[in-house]
Amino acid sequence: MFAQVVVDVVHTNVAKPFSYLIPEGMDVRPGMRVGIPLGHRQVSGIVVALSETCDVPPQRMRPIARVLDPYVTVPPHLLALAEQLAEQDHCPLAETLRLMLPAAMRTGRVQTRREATAQLAPNVDATAAAAAQKRAPKRATLLRMLADRQPHAVRELTALVASPGEALGKLAEAGLVCLSQREVFRLPYEEMESSPSVAPTMTGEQADVLRIMASALEAGQGAFLLHGVTGSGKTEVYLAMVRRVLELGRSAIILVPEIALTPQMVGWFRERFGPNTAVLHSRLTDGQRCDEWRRIRTGDAKVVIGARSAIFAPVEKLGLIVIDEEHEQTYLSDKHPRYDARRVAKSRCEREGATLLLSSATPSILSFAMAQRGDYTLVEMPHRVNGRPLPQVTVVDMRAELAAGNRSIFSQLLTQKLQACFSQGRQAMLFLNRRGYNTFVSCRHCGYVVHCPQCDVSMTLHQVEGSEKGELRCHFCGAHAPPPDVCPECGSRHIRYFGIGTQKVEEELHRLFPNVKTIRMDLDTTQKRDAHYQLLTAFREGRAQALVGTQMIAKGLDFPNVTLVGVVAADVTLNLPDYRAQERTFQLITQVAGRAGRADAPGEVVVQSYKPDHPCIIAAAAQDYRAFFTQEFQRRRAGYYPPFTVIARLLVESELHDAAEETNRRLYEMVNAYLASHPAQKRRVLMVRADEAPVVKIRGRYRYHVLLKVFEHPDAQPVLTLLGELSAGDYPLCQVYAEFDPATLI
Ligand code: ADP
Ligand code: ZN
Ligand code: ZN
């Protein structure tokens, strides 16, 4: 027998599977991880197929050295998924297979952790044996503790018997106790306290949607879009569905869009399902990640909660995938291979016979349109739990504030509301989707703006501890620089700082309310591994009255004592040069507004804007999703934006400016030549352009792109496939990527 093995080395020379001989008696199956010789090296790889014949003469073929895991590492359906993704993305199979297991496991950096255990030997009567140990009270105590015949960690026995090692050794010698080792799993959020909880009585709306989905769940089919307003109790719906899935002996994956949201979700699931819940995301330690992965793979944990990459969790007998806050861009991977977790979920559910549930208070235009077309069954929960009202939203015209002489970043109304909120002992959340202190630095005299030397973006001023002037930082590459005293262009001393970030909001809050404690949550304050959990717990426990943050705090969080939400600058996302700017703005405002008034006290929201009459701001203030969808859908149709078209591009990156430009020009010509000879495809293409990318340099690499707008139609597939094929070609000194409706077009 022969095995086709994909070597875990991403290089075009080894992109194809290699054949290896299976040594006599070695149990090798597809999906197993094996150690194999490659040239003079030992490498690892994954068996993708077995065969009885082979075109290479067997004497020239080398044998598999060993099997690396005592089980099939990549289950068959994930193997098939990896193959499908590699084909779609025109990338090597080795690369998509890497998505299927933790990096630390592949590189072998992580050791399993073991602990010593003691267990009563078979056929030993603990009571009698203890009674016989009259002169050794320690041994007697130990025997009584082991009377339940279960293995006990020696570490735990220490709690009752000081240094039990010697006594256990003696008992083992006497054949009364068996000592051995067992594996221990490193648990994420171990310190999290969770007491078992029971499900509340479902509201009428919750019961209705559960009833609609019940038979699909039992049959392992169906794709649903749940549109439930903020605070309508969507999580309780997931919990009820997972309960049913477990009863059916199957597993579930729950995706959340942001690591910040995992602790809360894990807490809720652990309360109901205990250690059956596993967590997967990039902020776990390597040890935790490998252990959680193995708990899932071996079926110890049947409920997986995680961020985007958890969609590849190796569960078997999948029954349900829930995608919470399905509208979030974070479900699109920003690294290659670029996948959309929602599409992967759909394909897993179809392949593995499971139910898909996408869920949001503000569904993406794309998903809602698909639901209207019948691709998803739409289920709705239009009211908050227990008849609680949606929060009252007031839009403040910041132009009028300025005209009235208020130069503060807070309007008079927001200041008053904050005052009232704090004095009632309530909590407030302030949202601004920009971190740092000032967002750019410019010369008053000549207009020069400080840019990152590696990237084509302006640098942001950050306050840092121990530095009076602060520090300029690049949000793309992380480069640091001191703020200039004089303009590097003209030598003027008139350097000024513009634009506000979360640090400035926090400072302003301290100035206005010196006694109020605040917590800031953005990329800068959440660098430490457990920071999300620590900060959110502190706020939940009332150790601060205000939470200031970026999009990280905008969605999903449930703090009963928050009654006021302030949107400091609603226009930040509205002004982005992206056709999704309005959708993003509507989602962010509606979501963050939804954090207010989730328990008994009603909520209030103040939205500050320089464009208070913009239809998108008006719809968000009314929290009227349908109104927004209708207007936005029409705008997309009129402007030929997705979902009516696919925006696709070939992105060229190179350290050499001219190489990038030249390759881009060649690609543009190839695309045009193809269209010239394929008139049917040409009719499907609305636009082809070759340009500098909007951000022409990132991390020292120049970026150009060929941009296409293609009508959304099955017949237009050939031109999209062409782009994929072109991206897989070889271009001197350049990388070329094909992207279809990517998360950003920068
Ligand atoms: P959503 O995700 O829809 O915004 P959540 O699932 O966070 O809403 O629920 C909002 C709040 O309502 C939570 O505090 C939750 O515990 C509570 N809740 C949900 N369902 C019920 C119910 N059936 N009875 C009582 N309280 C509920
Ligand atoms: Zn200047
Ligand atoms: Zn940079």
Side-chain angles (χ1 to χ4, degrees):
M1 284 291 272
F2 308 101
Q4 267 66 56
V5 180
V6 169
V7 180
D8 187 17
V9 174
V10 175
H11 193 282
T12 39
N13 290 344
V14 294
K16 290 218 162 47
F18 290 145
S19 297
Y20 285 87
L21 209 63
I22 301 177
E24 196 70 36
M26 189 186 273
D27 175 24
V28 172
R29 278 169 280 160
M32 278 187 162
R33 219 156 57 92
V34 290
I36 40 177
L38 180 75
H40 300 292
R41 289 194 294 161
Q42 282 291 325
V43 295
S44 68
I46 292 188
V47 177
V48 291
L50 301 181
S51 60
E52 289 187 23
T53 56
C54 185
D55 41 8
V56 186
Q59 54 276 21
R60 293 241 318 267
M61 211 184 292
R62 303 169 79 179
I64 289 177
R66 59 207 165 94
V67 172
L68 294 177
D69 303 312
Y71 44 80
V72 173
T73 318
V74 181
H77 46 86
L78 285 183
L79 205 56
L81 181 62
E83 278 163 1
Q84 182 193 336
L85 287 175
E87 198 180 307
Q88 276 170 9
D89 212 39
H90 297 271
C91 72
L93 185 52
E95 214 170 298
T96 54
L97 278 172
R98 284 185 173 190
L99 297 169
M100 308 295 160
L101 54 163
M105 200 167 140
R106 288 180 12 236
T107 52
R109 264 179 294 151
V110 170
Q111 305 288 318
T112 53
R113 186 182 288 176
R114 313 196 137 263
E115 66 180 6
T117 61
Q119 188 174 14
L120 200 64
N123 306 325
V124 171
D125 177 343
T127 323
Q133 301 281 352
K134 283 217 177 59
R135 268 187 244 125
K138 241 188 194 181
R139 289 182 225 168
T141 314
L142 285 167
L143 284 167
R144 277 193 288 274
M145 285 170 68
L146 298 177
D148 62 1
R149 306 206 159 270
Q150 298 302 311
H152 287 254
V154 172
R155 194 171 39 87
E156 278 164 32
L157 299 175
T158 321
L160 289 158
V161 179
S163 21
E166 198 193 329
L168 283 171
K170 288 263 158 42
L171 289 171
E173 261 170 50
L176 296 170
V177 163
C178 301
L179 297 180
S180 79
Q181 297 256 310
R182 73 173 169 204
E183 184 173 354
V184 280
F185 293 104
R186 285 152 283 202
L187 275 190
Y189 310 121
E190 203 161 16
E191 69 283 25
M192 185 187 281
E193 287 165 29
S194 75
S195 39
S197 77
V198 287
T201 314
M202 292 291 129
T203 65
E205 288 179 4
Q206 286 170 331
D208 285 345
V209 301
L210 284 167
R211 199 172 316 114
I212 295 171
M213 293 187 281
S215 53
L217 201 60
E218 320 240 312
Q221 60 188 41
F224 297 88
L225 175 63
L226 170 58
H227 173 218
V229 296
T230 56
S232 57
K234 295 185 284 296
T235 318
E236 211 51 69
V237 171
Y238 316 156
L239 287 161
M241 289 179 75
V242 168
R243 160 133 314 186
R244 187 73 195 110
V245 164
L246 292 175
E247 282 166 7
L248 294 166
R250 311 187 74 164
S251 306
I253 300 175
I254 321 296
L255 290 193
V256 292
E258 190 122 19
I259 293 173
L261 292 175
T262 48
Q264 180 178 279
M265 194 65 90
V266 169
W268 281 329
F269 274 78
R270 278 201 189 145
E271 284 174 9
R272 298 287 168 82
F273 306 116
N276 214 343
T277 309
V279 197
L280 282 182
H281 60 67
S282 57
R283 282 295 183 86
L284 305 182
T285 64
D286 283 347
Q288 288 172 336
R289 203 135 37 120
C290 287
D291 286 358
E292 289 292 79
W293 189 91
R294 280 182 304 131
R295 283 197 327 122
I296 298 163
R297 182 68 197 98
T298 55
D300 264 11
K302 294 200 167 54
V303 183
V304 182
I305 292 166
R308 181 178 63 222
S309 60
I311 196 61
F312 300 111
V315 299
E316 265 175 307
K317 293 203 232 145
L318 183 67
L320 172 71
I321 298 180
V322 175
I323 303 201
D324 191 24
E325 317 286 359
E326 71 85 26
H327 61 277
E328 285 295 326
Q329 298 283 327
T330 47
Y331 288 122
L332 291 166
S333 137
D334 47 5
K335 292 190 286 281
H336 287 269
R338 288 183 192 250
Y339 62 89
D340 179 343
R342 288 160 295 201
R343 289 199 186 173
V344 174
K346 192 145 193 278
S347 124
R348 269 198 87 163
C349 284
E350 283 163 7
R351 194 190 300 277
E352 297 170 48
T355 304
L356 175 63
L357 175 59
L358 306 181
S359 172
S360 175
T362 53
S364 62
I365 296 291
L366 182 63
S367 296
F368 204 78
M370 284 171 75
Q372 292 206 320
R373 216 170 60 184
D375 292 348
Y376 302 122
T377 308
L378 183 66
V379 286
E380 295 181 279
M381 301 202 297
H383 299 98
R384 282 191 158 184
V385 167
N386 293 341
R388 287 168 199 153
L390 280 169
Q392 184 71 45
V393 181
T394 313
V395 181
V396 176
D397 184 347
M398 291 306 274
R399 295 167 305 188
E401 290 286 317
L402 202 61
N406 178 10
R407 303 198 142 265
S408 159
I409 58 177
F410 295 148
S411 58
Q412 291 199 359
L413 183 74
L414 183 52
T415 312
Q416 280 165 19
K417 297 273 182 199
L418 283 166
Q419 177 76 60
C421 170
F422 297 140
S423 66
Q424 286 159 14
R426 300 290 185 180
Q427 290 174 299
M429 284 167 76
L430 288 171
F431 166 73
L432 175 64
N433 210 12
R434 267 189 317 218
R435 66 195 168 99
Y437 191 80
N438 292 114
T439 47
F440 66 102
V441 184
S442 165
C443 167
R444 273 323 252 298
H445 188 70
C446 73
Y448 171 84
V449 174
V450 182
H451 271 62
C452 171
Q454 291 297 308
C455 310
D456 171 40
V457 291
S458 55
M459 295 184 90
T460 304
L461 182 76
H462 286 248
Q463 299 294 353
V464 283
E465 223 164 304
S467 150
E468 206 174 305
K469 283 169 59 189
E471 178 178 81
L472 294 178
R473 288 188 194 157
C474 169
H475 284 185
F476 276 82
C477 73
H480 296 209
D485 293 319
V486 297
C487 172
E489 283 289 299
C490 73
S492 158
R493 296 198 152 268
H494 284 277
I495 305 285
R496 290 291 176 271
Y497 296 88
F498 299 91
I500 53 163
T502 43
Q503 281 187 326
K504 178 93 176 187
V505 174
E506 197 178 24
E507 184 188 85
E508 185 72 359
L509 209 50
H510 287 160
R511 197 178 62 76
L512 289 172
F513 307 101
N515 297 325
V516 164
K517 289 216 171 49
T518 60
I519 291 177
R520 179 162 55 86
M521 229 177 132
D522 54 30
L523 264 185
D524 297 313
T525 62
T526 51
Q527 289 301 310
K528 283 216 204 89
R529 200 176 288 288
D530 254 357
H532 297 106
Y533 175 61
Q534 303 294 352
L535 294 174
L536 293 174
T537 306
F539 189 59
R540 190 177 302 280
E541 290 174 353
R543 279 181 267 150
Q545 289 74 58
L547 179 66
V548 177
T550 54
Q551 73 208 5
M552 222 175 251
I553 64 163
K555 61 203 160 257
L557 296 169
D558 186 44
F559 298 115
N561 198 31
V562 170
T563 54
L564 177 64
V565 164
V567 179
V568 178
D571 315 328
V572 172
T573 43
L574 201 52
N575 295 331
L576 293 177
D578 190 309
Y579 72 92
R580 286 159 295 199
Q582 311 207 8
E583 183 178 1
R584 289 286 291 148
T585 307
F586 175 81
Q587 287 164 349
L588 277 170
I589 298 177
T590 313
Q591 289 287 347
V592 73
R595 300 314 108 207
R598 294 171 69 85
D600 302 330
E604 275 187 292
V605 183
V606 176
V607 175
Q608 304 191 149
S609 171
Y610 284 93
K611 293 180 180 168
D613 307 323
H614 196 289
C616 164
I617 305 274
I618 293 172
Q623 296 161 82
D624 186 346
Y625 178 79
R626 291 277 184 162
F628 175 72
F629 177 81
T630 309
Q631 92 199 16
E632 180 65 9
F633 199 66
Q634 273 160 12
R635 196 184 68 84
R636 298 272 181 100
R637 177 185 289 143
Y640 298 111
Y641 290 113
F644 299 95
T645 51
V646 177
I647 294 188
R649 71 168 173 178
L650 287 168
L651 175 67
V652 181
E653 289 188 359
S654 174
E655 273 167 21
L656 301 176
H657 173 269
D658 293 356
E661 192 178 20
E662 169 61 20
T663 299
N664 201 55
R665 202 180 48 72
R666 267 182 58 207
L667 287 167
Y668 178 65
E669 282 165 7
M670 288 193 271
V671 171
N672 277 322
Y674 171 86
L675 293 177
S677 58
H678 295 78
Q681 287 301 298
K682 194 173 168 125
R683 272 197 300 279
R684 301 282 175 204
V685 176
L686 190 66
M687 176 200 92
V688 191
R689 237 169 46 198
D691 275 318
E692 284 184 340
V695 180
V696 70
K697 193 165 92 171
I698 296 181
R699 291 191 171 82
R701 296 168 65 78
Y702 292 91
R703 311 167 75 246
Y704 276 75
H705 65 199
V706 178
L707 196 63
L708 284 87
K709 235 180 189 181
V710 181
F711 284 108
E712 168 65 52
H713 195 281
D715 290 351
Q717 195 50 48
V719 67
L720 300 178
T721 306
L722 170 81
L723 298 182
E725 284 164 8
L726 286 176
S727 76
D730 222 356
Y731 303 91
L733 304 167
C734 293
Q735 264 80 50
V736 176
Y737 306 104
E739 300 181 339
F740 307 99
D741 287 333
T744 68
L745 280 164
I746 56 162

